[in-house]
Amino acid sequence: MGVFDSWDGKRVAWVMLGAVLAALIGLALFRYIGPFLFAIFLYYATRPLYRQLDRVIGHPNVTTTATILFVILPMIAVVVYAAVVGLRELDQLLAASDLEAYRSTLEPYLQPIRRGNVGELRDAVGSGGGGSFAGALRQGVPGAVGRLLSVAGEVFSVLARFFLMLTILFYLLRDDEKLRRWFYESIDHDDDIVSYTQAVDDDLETVFLSNLAVILVAATAAAVTYYGLNFVASGGTVVGTPVLLSLLIGIGTLIPAVGMKIVYVPYGLVLLGVALTTPKPLWHPIAFFALTFVVVDTIPDFFARSFLSARSGVHMGLVLLGYFLGTLAFGWWGLFLGPIVVVLAVHFGETVFPGLASDFLRE
């Protein structure tokens, strides 16, 4: 006789224990729902790559590590590149303004950045920038230690969430087949549940993979467009950092409603302001806006999403609505929760609800 063969005290005890464990796990996941949902997004977006690599490598741990590095390394490269460009822009701002005194404090770090010498930058950080920051601390900067501890706590929190996301992603990629077999065996391969979960699984892969594809297509189109614009432009370059701007535009496609416009519209307005106040040609910002809107924003988004949504059982308008409402309702992690809820709801309405409604009406 199995544990759940009768409604006796043992079965009630097992159910209560399962409910407590589920509540504790749910509470832990809710406290870190952002990294968990981001790991699910990356899992579905990178699963096709993992399966292709696994056919060649044949070792789950190595294949999973290679897949994650393929995704994480470009992200780290974007952050580092953005930091370097930001420091350079800050250096130019300080040099062109009345903030020269602050520039001298940053000079030990800015010089290695300008020369591209990573080793010298590391030595400057290790030595405290020639003692400038250490001297400031010795002179009794108010609350310096407290601010440093606060920053260290924030950095540790971000790194902990990053590590949690990587851990969840690693085991989802490596052990998804084991989890799937365990679940189907637990439900005795019920046809309705299996068909529902498989349909949801396939559509989530299509939806999240389409996001990754749009990011790559938009970033590539932007980079080619901006390099071409700089090549034909007279009176200096139009886009000063085409690679960084292209990567930010690609990432901006994830933002609901506005999308990449949150990146290129402010940049174009800056170009317009420069053209109106300096001898820069006025056609620079006009060409930037026109090419970005047509070549970068409209064409890649339309063709990439249309091609991939044709493979999905969920209307793309509903998915976009899920992105928008999810972000409004839950914050940044609603960007990933919204599409999941939409896919679950659509397939529930198509496959489960009609049967439940007919059974209810017959009763």
Side-chain angles (χ1 to χ4, degrees):
M1 179 179 291
V3 176
F4 302 119
D5 285 345
S6 62
W7 284 99
D8 54 11
K10 183 185 292 185
R11 182 176 184 180
V12 173
W14 280 116
V15 170
M16 291 178 61
L17 176 60
V20 171
L21 293 176
L24 292 175
I25 295 173
L27 178 62
L29 289 177
F30 181 76
R31 288 176 60 88
Y32 298 98
I33 188 66
F36 176 71
L37 291 173
F38 190 52
I40 292 179
F41 161 70
L42 291 177
Y43 162 70
Y44 280 108
T46 59
R47 189 171 67 179
L49 173 64
Y50 170 82
R51 291 176 175 174
Q52 292 293 333
L53 291 176
D54 192 48
R55 294 191 184 98
V56 178
I57 299 175
H59 195 287
N61 288 331
V62 177
T63 306
T64 305
T65 303
T67 304
I68 292 177
L69 289 178
F70 182 81
V71 175
I72 299 303
L73 284 182
M75 294 171 57
I76 296 175
V78 171
V79 173
V80 173
Y81 185 68
V84 171
V85 172
L87 280 174
R88 287 176 177 170
E89 295 295 327
L90 177 62
D91 183 30
Q92 295 175 4
L93 174 64
L94 296 177
S97 62
D98 297 329
L99 303 175
E100 193 68 30
Y102 296 94
R103 189 188 184 204
S104 62
T105 301
L106 297 173
E107 192 63 28
Y109 307 96
L110 296 172
Q111 287 181 357
I113 289 293
R114 288 194 295 268
R115 290 194 289 265
N117 192 325
V118 179
E120 186 178 346
L121 176 62
R122 184 180 61 250
D123 295 338
V125 174
S127 62
S132 57
F133 287 113
L137 288 175
R138 285 195 298 270
Q139 293 171 8
V141 177
V145 175
R147 288 194 296 270
L148 287 174
L149 291 177
S150 177
V151 171
E154 291 296 328
V155 170
F156 177 78
S157 177
V158 171
L159 291 178
R161 284 169 167 78
F162 182 72
F163 177 77
L164 176 63
M165 182 272 295
L166 286 182
T167 302
I168 296 173
L169 175 60
F170 182 90
Y171 287 107
L172 281 176
L173 286 172
R174 195 192 69 173
D175 298 328
D176 59 347
E177 290 297 333
K178 295 179 181 178
L179 290 172
R180 186 176 291 107
R181 285 197 301 268
W182 165 80
F183 178 72
Y184 288 159
E185 290 173 359
S186 299
I187 62 172
D188 198 23
H189 294 274
D190 182 273
D191 291 337
D192 294 334
I193 298 178
V194 170
S195 61
Y196 175 77
T197 55
Q198 285 180 346
V200 169
D201 183 67
D202 292 340
D203 280 341
L204 284 178
E205 179 179 309
T206 301
V207 168
F208 287 135
L209 181 61
S210 68
N211 281 337
L212 188 62
V214 170
I215 291 173
L216 295 176
V217 171
T220 303
V224 173
T225 301
Y226 297 149
Y227 273 111
L229 184 59
N230 287 342
F231 180 76
V232 301
S234 59
T237 60
V238 179
V239 180
T241 55
V243 174
L244 179 60
L245 183 62
S246 300
L247 293 173
L248 293 176
I249 281 177
I251 297 173
T253 59
L254 289 173
I255 301 175
V258 294
M260 65 178 70
K261 293 179 181 63
I262 199 172
V263 177
Y264 76 77
V265 169
Y267 192 91
L269 293 176
V270 171
L271 293 180
L272 180 61
V274 171
L276 294 175
T277 56
T278 66
K280 283 278 189 179
L282 185 60
W283 70 265
H284 280 192
I286 296 176
F288 173 82
F289 272 121
L291 289 174
T292 303
F293 179 76
V294 176
V295 179
V296 181
D297 194 348
T298 304
I299 295 177
D301 185 77
F302 176 78
F303 284 102
R305 291 193 191 276
S306 299
F307 174 75
L308 290 166
S309 63
R311 301 168 47 198
S312 172
V314 182
H315 192 279
M316 205 45 144
L318 290 176
V319 175
L320 294 177
L321 188 62
Y323 283 124
F324 185 68
L325 291 179
T327 306
L328 289 179
F330 304 109
W332 72 268
W333 49 267
L335 182 66
F336 309 111
L337 179 62
I340 295 176
V341 173
V342 166
V343 172
L344 289 170
V346 167
H347 285 289
F348 181 87
E350 288 180 349
T351 61
V352 180
F353 179 76
L356 292 178
S358 62
D359 292 341
F360 176 79
L361 292 175
R362 281 197 298 266
E363 293 179 0

